[in-house]
Amino acid sequence: MNRLALGLLVVLLVSAQVLAAEILVQFKDPRGDDRGAGELVYPGHEVFVPGLFDLLRFRVSADGEFVYFDCEFAALTNPFRAPEGYFHQRLELYITTGIEPGWGQIQIGPHLLHTSPEAGWDLRLSAAPFGESRLYTAGGAVHEVAASVLPDGRTIRLQVPRSLLPDPSPAWGYYLLVGAFDGLAPGFWRDLGEGPWQVGGAGVPVFDLLAPRWGARSQRAQLSGGVLYPVYGGKRPVWSWLAGGAGVLIICCLLWRWLRGT
Protein backbone atom coordinates (compact mmCIF):
# COMPACT_ATOMS: atom_id res chain seq x y z
CA MET A 1 0.00 0.00 0.00
CA ASN A 2 1.53 3.35 -1.06
CA ARG A 3 1.61 6.41 1.14
CA LEU A 4 -1.28 8.13 -0.66
CA ALA A 5 -3.59 5.15 -0.20
CA LEU A 6 -2.53 4.83 3.42
CA GLY A 7 -3.24 8.51 4.04
CA LEU A 8 -6.69 8.27 2.45
CA LEU A 9 -7.46 5.21 4.55
CA VAL A 10 -6.53 7.11 7.72
CA VAL A 11 -8.84 9.97 6.73
CA LEU A 12 -11.71 7.56 6.06
CA LEU A 13 -11.21 5.76 9.37
CA VAL A 14 -11.13 9.03 11.32
CA SER A 15 -14.24 10.28 9.53
CA ALA A 16 -16.06 7.01 10.17
CA GLN A 17 -15.22 7.17 13.86
CA VAL A 18 -16.46 10.76 14.13
CA LEU A 19 -19.72 9.93 12.39
CA ALA A 20 -20.25 6.64 14.24
CA ALA A 21 -21.90 8.22 17.28
CA GLU A 22 -23.33 11.71 16.92
CA ILE A 23 -23.42 13.69 20.15
CA LEU A 24 -26.96 14.96 20.64
CA VAL A 25 -26.53 16.83 23.93
CA GLN A 26 -23.98 17.10 26.70
CA PHE A 27 -24.03 18.84 30.05
CA LYS A 28 -21.54 19.60 32.80
CA ASP A 29 -22.54 19.30 36.45
CA PRO A 30 -20.81 21.22 39.27
CA ARG A 31 -17.97 19.39 41.00
CA GLY A 32 -18.25 18.81 44.74
CA ASP A 33 -22.05 19.14 45.01
CA ASP A 34 -22.64 15.52 46.05
CA ARG A 35 -24.50 16.44 49.25
CA GLY A 36 -28.04 16.41 47.89
CA ALA A 37 -30.04 19.31 49.30
CA GLY A 38 -26.99 20.18 51.41
CA GLU A 39 -27.04 17.82 54.38
CA LEU A 40 -26.46 14.33 52.97
CA VAL A 41 -23.40 12.41 54.14
CA TYR A 42 -21.72 9.42 52.49
CA PRO A 43 -22.01 6.10 54.35
CA GLY A 44 -19.12 5.69 56.77
CA HIS A 45 -17.68 2.39 55.50
CA GLU A 46 -14.26 2.68 53.84
CA VAL A 47 -15.53 1.39 50.47
CA PHE A 48 -17.43 4.66 49.99
CA VAL A 49 -14.58 6.80 48.70
CA PRO A 50 -15.04 10.54 48.05
CA GLY A 51 -16.49 11.45 44.65
CA LEU A 52 -18.47 8.25 44.01
CA PHE A 53 -21.74 10.15 43.73
CA ASP A 54 -20.36 13.37 42.29
CA LEU A 55 -21.70 13.62 38.73
CA LEU A 56 -19.44 15.69 36.49
CA ARG A 57 -20.80 15.23 32.98
CA PHE A 58 -23.80 13.77 31.16
CA ARG A 59 -23.80 13.06 27.43
CA VAL A 60 -26.32 11.55 25.00
CA SER A 61 -25.12 10.25 21.64
CA ALA A 62 -26.46 7.92 18.97
CA ASP A 63 -25.40 5.85 15.98
CA GLY A 64 -27.46 3.77 13.58
CA GLU A 65 -28.14 1.02 16.13
CA PHE A 66 -28.01 2.43 19.67
CA VAL A 67 -28.56 5.53 21.79
CA TYR A 68 -25.88 5.99 24.46
CA PHE A 69 -26.40 7.72 27.80
CA ASP A 70 -23.04 8.45 29.49
CA CYS A 71 -22.61 9.60 33.10
CA GLU A 72 -19.11 10.64 34.21
CA PHE A 73 -18.22 10.71 37.92
CA ALA A 74 -15.37 12.05 40.01
CA ALA A 75 -14.66 8.48 41.19
CA LEU A 76 -15.75 4.98 40.15
CA THR A 77 -14.90 1.74 41.95
CA ASN A 78 -16.04 -1.87 41.81
CA PRO A 79 -15.11 -3.49 45.15
CA PHE A 80 -17.64 -6.32 44.79
CA ARG A 81 -16.87 -7.11 41.13
CA ALA A 82 -20.19 -6.29 39.50
CA PRO A 83 -20.10 -7.43 35.86
CA GLU A 84 -20.87 -3.91 34.59
CA GLY A 85 -17.59 -2.63 36.06
CA TYR A 86 -19.10 -0.41 38.77
CA PHE A 87 -20.91 -1.08 42.04
CA HIS A 88 -21.92 1.96 44.07
CA GLN A 89 -23.91 4.21 41.74
CA ARG A 90 -27.70 3.99 41.55
CA LEU A 91 -28.99 6.14 38.68
CA GLU A 92 -32.44 7.26 37.62
CA LEU A 93 -32.79 9.05 34.30
CA TYR A 94 -36.26 10.34 33.43
CA ILE A 95 -36.77 11.71 29.93
CA THR A 96 -39.47 14.02 28.67
CA THR A 97 -39.65 13.68 24.89
CA GLY A 98 -42.67 15.95 24.40
CA ILE A 99 -44.45 13.18 22.49
CA GLU A 100 -46.78 12.24 25.37
CA PRO A 101 -47.99 14.18 28.46
CA GLY A 102 -46.02 11.81 30.68
CA TRP A 103 -45.97 11.04 34.39
CA GLY A 104 -45.54 13.69 37.06
CA GLN A 105 -44.01 11.62 39.85
CA ILE A 106 -40.54 10.22 40.56
CA GLN A 107 -40.16 7.48 43.16
CA ILE A 108 -36.85 7.22 45.03
CA GLY A 109 -37.14 4.24 47.36
CA PRO A 110 -39.89 5.31 49.81
CA HIS A 111 -39.51 8.99 48.84
CA LEU A 112 -41.77 10.71 46.32
CA LEU A 113 -40.70 13.64 44.16
CA HIS A 114 -42.64 15.51 41.50
CA THR A 115 -41.71 16.73 38.04
CA SER A 116 -42.26 20.15 36.61
CA PRO A 117 -46.00 20.40 35.81
CA GLU A 118 -45.41 21.01 32.11
CA ALA A 119 -42.73 18.33 31.67
CA GLY A 120 -43.80 14.89 32.83
CA TRP A 121 -41.59 11.96 31.88
CA ASP A 122 -42.47 9.30 29.30
CA LEU A 123 -39.19 7.34 29.34
CA ARG A 124 -37.29 6.10 32.39
CA LEU A 125 -33.83 4.55 32.53
CA SER A 126 -33.10 2.89 35.85
CA ALA A 127 -29.46 1.86 36.27
CA ALA A 128 -28.06 -0.47 38.94
CA PRO A 129 -25.29 -3.10 38.92
CA PHE A 130 -25.66 -6.89 38.70
CA GLY A 131 -28.02 -6.82 35.71
CA GLU A 132 -30.62 -4.50 37.25
CA SER A 133 -30.68 -1.77 34.58
CA ARG A 134 -34.04 -1.30 32.86
CA LEU A 135 -35.89 0.92 30.39
CA TYR A 136 -39.49 1.77 31.31
CA THR A 137 -41.96 3.53 29.03
CA ALA A 138 -45.08 5.46 29.99
CA GLY A 139 -47.08 2.72 28.25
CA GLY A 140 -45.85 0.12 30.74
CA ALA A 141 -43.24 -1.73 28.67
CA VAL A 142 -40.05 -2.87 30.45
CA HIS A 143 -36.76 -3.81 28.73
CA GLU A 144 -33.36 -4.86 30.04
CA VAL A 145 -30.59 -2.38 29.26
CA ALA A 146 -26.86 -2.97 28.81
CA ALA A 147 -24.59 -1.02 31.16
CA SER A 148 -20.80 -0.78 31.19
CA VAL A 149 -17.88 1.42 32.18
CA LEU A 150 -16.03 3.25 29.40
CA PRO A 151 -12.22 3.00 29.06
CA ASP A 152 -11.72 6.26 30.99
CA GLY A 153 -12.69 4.33 34.14
CA ARG A 154 -15.08 7.07 35.32
CA THR A 155 -18.03 6.95 32.93
CA ILE A 156 -21.05 4.64 33.15
CA ARG A 157 -22.68 4.03 29.78
CA LEU A 158 -26.26 2.88 29.29
CA GLN A 159 -26.76 1.47 25.80
CA VAL A 160 -30.33 1.33 24.47
CA PRO A 161 -31.36 -0.05 21.05
CA ARG A 162 -32.87 2.69 18.90
CA SER A 163 -35.79 0.39 18.13
CA LEU A 164 -36.98 0.78 21.75
CA LEU A 165 -37.00 4.59 21.69
CA PRO A 166 -38.57 7.39 19.69
CA ASP A 167 -36.23 9.02 17.22
CA PRO A 168 -33.70 10.71 19.58
CA SER A 169 -33.78 14.49 19.53
CA PRO A 170 -31.55 17.21 21.03
CA ALA A 171 -34.79 18.78 22.29
CA TRP A 172 -35.48 16.05 24.86
CA GLY A 173 -35.44 17.08 28.52
CA TYR A 174 -33.66 15.08 31.25
CA TYR A 175 -34.04 14.50 34.97
CA LEU A 176 -30.90 12.70 36.18
CA LEU A 177 -30.66 11.61 39.83
CA VAL A 178 -27.68 9.93 41.51
CA GLY A 179 -27.90 7.79 44.64
CA ALA A 180 -26.21 4.81 46.28
CA PHE A 181 -26.96 1.21 45.31
CA ASP A 182 -28.27 -1.20 47.94
CA GLY A 183 -29.25 -4.64 46.68
CA LEU A 184 -31.59 -5.22 49.65
CA ALA A 185 -33.36 -1.85 49.73
CA PRO A 186 -36.66 -0.92 48.03
CA GLY A 187 -35.85 -0.05 44.45
CA PHE A 188 -32.16 -0.81 45.22
CA TRP A 189 -31.90 2.75 46.56
CA ARG A 190 -29.76 3.10 49.71
CA ASP A 191 -31.65 5.18 52.29
CA LEU A 192 -30.84 7.13 55.42
CA GLY A 193 -30.22 5.19 58.59
CA GLU A 194 -27.80 4.16 61.29
CA GLY A 195 -24.57 2.27 60.73
CA PRO A 196 -21.62 2.45 58.33
CA TRP A 197 -23.60 1.21 55.32
CA GLN A 198 -26.46 3.71 55.47
CA VAL A 199 -26.63 7.25 54.16
CA GLY A 200 -26.12 9.88 56.84
CA GLY A 201 -27.43 13.38 57.32
CA ALA A 202 -30.90 14.49 56.25
CA GLY A 203 -33.03 14.83 53.13
CA VAL A 204 -34.02 12.71 50.16
CA PRO A 205 -31.12 10.27 49.51
CA VAL A 206 -30.24 11.81 46.13
CA PHE A 207 -26.58 12.82 46.34
CA ASP A 208 -26.41 14.61 43.02
CA LEU A 209 -28.91 16.00 40.54
CA LEU A 210 -28.18 17.29 37.05
CA ALA A 211 -28.89 20.93 37.84
CA PRO A 212 -27.22 24.34 38.28
CA ARG A 213 -25.31 25.06 41.47
CA TRP A 214 -27.14 28.36 42.04
CA GLY A 215 -30.53 29.91 41.37
CA ALA A 216 -34.19 29.06 41.75
CA ARG A 217 -33.65 25.73 39.99
CA SER A 218 -30.45 24.77 41.74
CA GLN A 219 -29.95 21.26 43.06
CA ARG A 220 -30.54 22.43 46.63
CA ALA A 221 -33.75 24.28 45.75
CA GLN A 222 -35.23 21.40 43.74
CA LEU A 223 -34.48 18.66 46.25
CA SER A 224 -35.57 20.79 49.20
CA GLY A 225 -38.89 21.65 47.53
CA GLY A 226 -39.53 18.19 46.13
CA VAL A 227 -40.27 19.50 42.60
CA LEU A 228 -37.72 18.78 39.87
CA TYR A 229 -37.12 20.52 36.55
CA PRO A 230 -35.56 18.96 33.46
CA VAL A 231 -32.47 20.20 31.68
CA TYR A 232 -32.60 20.81 27.94
CA GLY A 233 -29.76 20.86 25.47
CA GLY A 234 -31.39 22.26 22.38
CA LYS A 235 -29.76 21.97 19.00
CA ARG A 236 -26.01 22.10 18.63
CA PRO A 237 -24.83 25.61 17.68
CA VAL A 238 -23.53 26.31 14.19
CA TRP A 239 -20.05 27.10 15.52
CA SER A 240 -19.68 23.51 16.78
CA TRP A 241 -20.17 22.15 13.27
CA LEU A 242 -17.73 24.75 11.90
CA ALA A 243 -15.17 23.71 14.51
CA GLY A 244 -15.58 20.07 13.56
CA GLY A 245 -15.13 20.87 9.88
CA ALA A 246 -12.02 22.92 10.63
CA GLY A 247 -10.57 19.97 12.57
CA VAL A 248 -11.06 17.60 9.62
CA LEU A 249 -9.50 20.20 7.27
CA ILE A 250 -6.43 20.50 9.52
CA ILE A 251 -6.00 16.71 9.58
CA CYS A 252 -6.22 16.56 5.79
CA CYS A 253 -3.63 19.35 5.43
CA LEU A 254 -1.22 17.62 7.81
CA LEU A 255 -1.61 14.33 5.95
CA TRP A 256 -1.04 16.06 2.61
CA ARG A 257 2.20 17.61 3.88
CA TRP A 258 3.31 14.25 5.30
CA LEU A 259 2.62 12.51 1.98
CA ARG A 260 4.62 15.15 0.11
CA GLY A 261 7.44 14.87 2.63
CA THR A 262 7.35 18.56 3.55
Side-chain angles (χ1 to χ4, degrees):
M1 181 180 296
N2 59 41
R3 296 179 69 180
L4 177 59
L6 178 61
L8 292 175
L9 179 60
V10 170
V11 171
L12 290 174
L13 289 175
V14 170
S15 301
Q17 185 175 12
V18 170
L19 296 174
E22 176 192 2
I23 296 177
L24 301 177
V25 293
Q26 54 184 337
F27 308 91
K28 290 184 178 180
D29 191 73
R31 182 182 290 271
D33 64 341
D34 48 341
R35 292 179 55 84
E39 298 183 12
L40 280 191
V41 179
Y42 277 37
H45 195 279
E46 62 183 7
V47 299
F48 294 95
V49 301
L52 282 174
F53 309 119
D54 190 6
L55 178 71
L56 300 182
R57 190 184 304 270
F58 173 63
R59 179 176 62 246
V60 182
S61 59
D63 57 23
E65 189 174 0
F66 296 101
V67 181
Y68 306 99
F69 302 89
D70 298 337
C71 303
E72 180 185 341
F73 292 89
L76 207 65
T77 64
N78 190 20
F80 303 109
R81 300 186 181 278
E84 293 85 354
Y86 73 96
F87 173 79
H88 290 292
Q89 285 77 9
R90 174 71 175 87
L91 308 178
E92 286 285 352
L93 175 62
Y94 292 83
I95 305 173
T96 173
T97 66
I99 298 174
E100 300 181 23
W103 295 90
Q105 296 182 337
I106 290 177
Q107 191 77 38
I108 301 299
H111 306 271
L112 186 63
L113 300 170
H114 299 274
T115 72
S116 170
E118 70 277 5
W121 62 270
D122 49 301
L123 294 172
R124 171 194 171 197
L125 272 170
S126 179
F130 294 103
E132 296 295 342
S133 295
R134 302 286 187 272
L135 168 69
Y136 300 85
T137 68
V142 182
H143 306 274
E144 290 190 14
V145 171
S148 61
V149 174
L150 294 185
D152 65 1
R154 299 196 308 178
T155 301
I156 297 172
R157 163 166 286 186
L158 301 175
Q159 177 177 302
V160 183
R162 290 187 68 138
S163 60
L164 300 179
L165 299 170
D167 191 33
S169 167
W172 286 1
Y174 301 90
Y175 302 89
L176 178 54
L177 301 86
V178 178
F181 171 72
D182 182 347
L184 301 178
F188 306 123
W189 202 278
R190 193 176 301 276
D191 207 346
L192 281 77
E194 300 295 330
W197 291 94
Q198 297 306 112
V199 177
V204 179
V206 174
F207 282 98
D208 208 345
L209 176 72
L210 184 61
R213 186 185 295 275
W214 311 110
R217 295 189 178 181
S218 68
Q219 173 177 302
R220 181 188 293 266
Q222 292 188 56
L223 291 176
S224 297
V227 178
L228 309 184
Y229 294 86
V231 295
Y232 293 93
K235 294 186 177 180
R236 297 179 70 186
V238 173
W239 63 261
S240 68
W241 296 106
L242 294 176
V248 172
L249 181 60
I250 291 172
I251 292 174
C252 291
C253 291
L254 292 174
L255 282 171
W256 176 250
R257 294 190 62 182
W258 173 68
L259 290 170
R260 295 184 61 188
T262 59

